Amino acid sequence: MKRMKENKFSQRVKELREEKGLSIMDLARALNTSHANVGRWERGERNPTVISIIMICQFFDVSADYLIGLRDD
């Protein structure tokens, strides 16, 4: 399976998490997922489900286009 373009998703999830001062475990709890999933997303080893993308966008108050790298604002 092809990874997302330039792994922007992985970079952005990690950046957003760190900007809020959250650990991987903190974010996993907030999203009701495992810390292993969050770690895999950040390393680009696994792509999230659409539901997970929506939850991440809502949690960080960002657009899906920004999160997956289609826009920079």
Side-chain angles (χ1 to χ4, degrees), residues 18-69:
E18 289 176 344
E19 284 174 9
K20 287 215 177 232
L22 300 171
S23 69
I24 288 175
M25 185 62 81
D26 293 333
L27 182 56
R29 284 186 190 123
L31 299 175
N32 197 30
T33 191
S34 70
H35 71 281
N37 270 344
V38 175
R40 288 180 190 119
W41 296 338
E42 288 189 3
R43 290 188 303 273
E45 296 173 358
R46 180 172 287 168
N47 293 328
T49 64
V50 172
I51 296 299
S52 293
I53 290 173
I54 292 167
M55 290 176 68
I56 295 165
C57 289
Q58 290 174 334
F59 182 78
F60 288 115
D61 194 27
V62 297
S63 72
D65 283 352
Y66 172 78
L67 189 65
I68 63 173

Side-chain angles (χ1 to χ4, degrees), residues 4-12 53 63-73:
M4 288 184 219
K5 180 183 173 186
E6 298 297 314
N7 249 341
K8 283 287 189 181
F9 170 80
S10 298
Q11 293 171 348
R12 294 211 167 140
I53 290 173
S63 72
D65 283 352
Y66 172 78
L67 189 65
I68 63 173
L70 296 178
R71 295 183 62 139
D72 289 329
D73 56 347

